[in-house]
């Protein structure tokens, strides 16, 4: 008889909530997904309705569990992975949020962050949290809600309110009031000292966040809580939680020092495991907790590209030169080069390692020979050039990469993966598993429930689907990167 035991992973992302049931061999056996509303109250503001996050999560849990059980799968435990930094504050008695979730992309607290930077606090914040002083992280979002919602600050100080990132909010709701977070999510709040693994009193004072709001921080695998009866998955334990990029790194078996992955979605996130050392970047990369299991804490260096898949979306919806993202591959292949055209997709500024919020995009090097194919190819190439810049910054910080594992929607573009290998001068490895983020959460849940022994068990479940080897010489690479740098120089404001 085949083993029909399985693990449920909840993947609560920025644009959709998903639930995937994995067999213990790591095969997805049921999947449900639901998109939810993006709320843009003002330019630069992004919110989610926490009730929609909750309802969509419950709906996909029910759908995936029903489908798996109908096929005879016995689900043993649950893991949660989530969009990171997104901030929710709720009433401890009613469980009702006092304001919408403020999403990680939201820039409303830029002035508060700039003020703290002008007062000279960034160095201390970086040393303790591994992060930059930026609206991206939760701390300034918490303060905004407390200052803007009448009575909220006093209620927070009186212990009547709870703060959580999305995993913490979902755990509270699913368990009927257990208030916990995990080390990876806590490391994105800008309130957590990643060196010692504690909420930091000085940071709480600096950002004006009362300690009474905070969840207890747990390792990534262990017994968090039971799902309350009457809810989807009622009675199941929750035994793993981690932020989405850390979960993807685990799902890609990047749990050893030196291993690295990049996830290509709307944006792209590169994480390099640095083992037990929290490496401080001299190039504006982030240092973050990769995972914490049974008293062992591992760190990662992280860099993000703001426009990856969104460049293709713009080529399709903004410019109208491709019908769908898949077209870009044939267009890129139809020409031998872009004829000197470079695109810098700084639609919303530039991310790591530049962090230039004011920069705006450009297409340079146009001639009468430039057509849609050159522009589409330049858009794809730009994604690889940005990866090369991130990797160069990581190397300058002492990372010695041997290969790059890739996942996310863009990785099915084989032409782009080859160009990426050429530009980063490393083997690029694409796994069979396309659901690495949810898979990482399932692995953590399996470890927390005692089904798996350790992260080493990921290895047996990670299978290469394709690899792309660098195929151009250093001079050709150098020439292309110089052209890119010249284009980049035209859009940078600093
Ligand atoms: P997210 O979870 O951020 O929505 P996904 O992992 O689903 O992202 O990836 C979707 C992104 O991948 C889209 O932005 C899309 O433009 C891009 N994409 C999809 N297919 C291709 C392709 N063949 N070539 C290049 N980009 C692609």
């Amino acid at each position: 008889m085949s083993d029909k035991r399985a693990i449920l992973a909840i993947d609560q992302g920025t644009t959709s909530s998903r639930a995937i049931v994995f067999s213990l061999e790591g095969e997805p056996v049921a999947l449900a997904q639901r998109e939810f509303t993006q709320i843009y109250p003002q330019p630069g503001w992004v919110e989610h309705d926490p009730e929609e996050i909750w309802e969509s999560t419950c709906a996909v849990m029910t759908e995936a569990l029903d489908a798996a059980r109908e096929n005879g799968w016995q689900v043993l435990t649950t893991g949660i992975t989530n969009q990171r930094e997104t901030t929710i504050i709720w009433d401890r008695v009613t469980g009702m949020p006092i304001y919408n979730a403020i999403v990680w992309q939201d820039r409303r607290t830029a002035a508060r962050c700039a003020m703290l930077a002008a007062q000279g606090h960034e160095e201390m914040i970086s040393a303790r949290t591994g992060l930059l002083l930026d609206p991206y992280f939760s701390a300034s979002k918490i303060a905004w809600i407390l200052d803007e919602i009448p009575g909220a600050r006093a209620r927070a100080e009186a212990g009547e309110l709870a703060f959580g990132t999305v995993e913490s909010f979902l755990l509270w709701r699913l368990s009927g009031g257990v208030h916990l977070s995990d080390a990876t999510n806590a490391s994105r709040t800008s309130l957590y000292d990643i060196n010692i693994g504690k909420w930091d009193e000085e940071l709480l004072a600096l950002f004006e966040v009362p300690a009474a709001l905070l969840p207890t921080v747990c390792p990534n695998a262990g017994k968090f809580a039971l799902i309350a009866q009457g809810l989807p998955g009622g009675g199941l334990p929750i035994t793993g939680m981690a932020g989405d990029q850390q979960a993807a790194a685990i799902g890609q078996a990047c749990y050893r020092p030196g291993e690295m992955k990049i996830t290509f979605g709307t944006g792209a996130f590169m994480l390099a495991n640095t083992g037990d050392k929290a490496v401080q970047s001299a190039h504006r990369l982030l240092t973050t907790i990769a995972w914490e299991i049974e008293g062992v804490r591992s760190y990662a260096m992280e860099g993000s590209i703001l426009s990856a898949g969104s460049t293709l979306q713009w080529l399709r919806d903004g410019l109208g030169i491709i019908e769908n993202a898949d077209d870009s591959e044939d267009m890129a292949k139809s020409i031998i080069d872009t004829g000197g055209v470079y695109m810098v997709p700084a639609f919303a500024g530039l991310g790591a390692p530049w962090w230039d919020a004011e920069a705006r995009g450009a297409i340079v090097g146009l001639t009468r020979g430039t057509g849609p194919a050159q522009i589409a190819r330049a858009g794809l190439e730009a994604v690889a050039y940005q990866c090369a810049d991130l990797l160069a910054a990581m190397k300058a910080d002492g990372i010695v990469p041997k290969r790059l594992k890739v996942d996310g929607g863009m990785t099915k573009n084989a032409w782009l993966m080859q160009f990426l290998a050429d530009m980063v001068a490393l083997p690029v490895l694409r796994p069979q598993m396309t659901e690495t983020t949810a898979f990482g959460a399932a692995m953590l849940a399996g470890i927390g429930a005692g089904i798996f022994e350790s992260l080493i068990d990921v290895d047996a479940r990670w299978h290469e689907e394709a690899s792309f080897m660098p195929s151009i010489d250093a001079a050709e690479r150098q020439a292309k990167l110089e052209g890119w740098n010249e284009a980049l120089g035209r859009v940078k404001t600093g």
Side-chain angles (χ1 to χ4, degrees):
M1 202 185 82
S2 66
D3 187 356
K4 294 214 90 173
R5 294 178 302 160
I7 299 172
L8 170 69
I10 298 166
D11 177 0
Q12 205 302 307
T14 308
T15 56
S16 72
S17 301
R18 290 140 59 82
I20 304 180
V21 176
F22 289 94
S23 72
L24 299 192
E25 281 69 48
E27 294 296 324
V29 297
L31 184 152
Q33 173 165 7
R34 200 152 296 195
E35 292 196 359
F36 55 86
T37 316
Q38 306 292 315
I39 305 166
Y40 303 110
Q42 292 187 26
W45 292 29
V46 189
E47 298 179 358
H48 294 157
D49 177 351
E51 296 304 340
E52 235 191 299
I53 289 181
W54 168 243
E55 281 156 22
S56 61
T57 301
C58 288
V60 294
M61 286 173 74
T62 302
E63 199 180 318
L65 283 170
D66 285 353
R69 285 169 176 162
E70 262 170 43
N71 287 316
W73 292 94
Q74 182 204 355
V75 177
L76 303 177
T77 191
T78 314
I80 302 177
T81 182
N82 58 294
Q83 51 167 320
R84 304 173 303 171
E85 297 106 7
T86 296
T87 297
I88 306 177
I89 296 180
W90 64 94
D91 184 310
R92 287 184 184 272
V93 175
T94 63
M96 299 303 287
I98 64 165
Y99 189 75
N100 273 344
I102 302 186
V103 179
W104 54 275
Q105 297 140 323
D106 191 291
R107 309 296 300 173
R108 78 184 65 187
T109 57
R112 186 189 292 258
C113 291
M115 186 189 76
L116 291 172
Q119 292 167 353
H121 295 296
E122 188 167 55
E123 208 176 312
M124 183 275 268
I125 292 172
S126 271
R128 296 207 189 155
T129 67
L131 309 174
L132 298 165
L133 188 37
D134 192 272
Y136 200 99
F137 309 104
S138 313
S140 63
K141 301 183 197 290
I142 300 174
W144 187 92
I145 297 176
L146 297 183
D147 289 338
E148 298 300 320
I149 304 305
R153 187 166 284 286
R155 295 190 62 210
E157 277 158 8
E160 294 172 21
L161 303 178
F163 151 75
T165 35
V166 172
E167 85 301 341
S168 182
F169 174 67
L170 289 177
L171 185 86
W172 170 290
R173 283 274 175 108
L174 287 168
S175 65
V178 176
H179 193 205
L180 303 174
S181 180
D182 70 85
T184 63
N185 275 297
S187 79
R188 314 298 294 192
T189 58
S190 203
L191 299 171
Y192 194 71
D193 186 332
I194 62 167
N195 305 291
I196 53 170
K198 276 202 167 60
W199 296 119
D200 185 281
E201 276 173 32
E202 251 181 275
L203 291 171
L204 290 171
L206 191 64
F207 284 104
E208 299 178 272
V209 173
L213 276 173
L214 300 174
T216 300
V217 181
C218 297
N220 295 97
K223 298 203 163 44
F224 286 91
L226 287 181
I227 300 179
Q229 295 297 346
L231 291 175
L236 282 181
I238 297 169
T239 54
M241 298 206 298
D244 53 9
Q245 296 309 320
Q246 281 90 340
I250 289 168
Q252 285 273 36
C254 295
Y255 59 86
R256 287 189 199 89
E259 289 280 10
M260 61 200 303
K261 69 91 194 175
I262 182 157
T263 301
F264 293 96
T266 309
F269 294 86
M270 187 183 279
L271 259 76
N273 190 308
T274 59
D276 58 5
K277 284 186 202 62
V279 179
Q280 199 77 37
S281 172
H283 302 89
R284 300 187 72 72
L285 300 173
L286 308 179
T287 310
T288 201
I289 294 179
W291 49 264
E292 190 179 314
I293 298 173
E294 286 179 358
V296 180
R297 190 182 302 128
S298 198
Y299 295 92
M301 193 165 254
E302 174 176 324
S304 44
I305 293 168
L306 303 182
S307 299
S310 58
T311 310
L312 277 290
Q313 289 161 13
W314 179 74
L315 291 173
R316 185 193 61 197
D317 307 333
L319 211 53
I321 60 167
I322 55 174
E323 237 173 75
N324 55 58
D326 290 347
D327 288 352
S328 64
E329 182 161 2
D330 282 342
M331 281 170 99
K333 282 199 290 208
S334 72
I335 48 177
I336 50 160
D337 58 33
T338 63
V341 176
Y342 288 88
M343 181 190 302
V344 186
F347 302 111
L350 288 165
W354 317 112
W355 292 109
D356 186 339
E358 306 306 322
R360 289 297 173 266
I363 301 175
V364 305
L366 299 177
T367 66
R368 285 298 296 267
T370 305
Q374 284 76 12
I375 291 177
R377 177 163 165 152
L380 287 175
E381 288 188 356
V383 175
Y385 292 135
Q386 293 180 91
C387 294
D389 286 346
L390 265 185
L391 206 80
M394 286 201 176
K395 281 188 183 165
D397 281 327
I399 305 280
V400 188
K402 291 189 204 64
R403 53 192 194 164
L404 181 59
K405 290 176 171 172
V406 294
D407 56 274
M410 292 192 98
T411 62
K412 66 173 187 266
N413 188 322
W415 181 86
L416 175 60
M417 293 302 104
Q418 182 58 50
F419 191 78
L420 176 65
D422 290 340
M423 287 307 119
V424 298
L426 287 175
V428 167
L429 271 56
R430 189 168 68 185
Q432 285 174 13
M433 165 73 60
T434 53
E435 302 292 347
T436 48
T437 306
F439 176 57
M443 285 306 301
L444 287 171
I447 294 167
I451 301 166
F452 303 128
E453 235 164 77
S454 70
L455 290 176
I456 294 171
D457 288 341
V458 182
D459 284 337
R461 292 162 180 79
W462 191 95
H463 305 289
E464 180 183 306
E465 184 265 337
S467 60
F468 303 86
M469 295 295 158
S471 66
I472 61 171
D473 62 31
E476 193 179 345
R477 174 180 309 118
Q478 201 50 38
K480 287 194 189 303
L481 288 172
E482 269 167 28
W484 161 254
N485 272 318
E486 209 248 327
L488 197 60
R490 297 207 214 172
V491 313
K492 280 198 270 184
T493 61

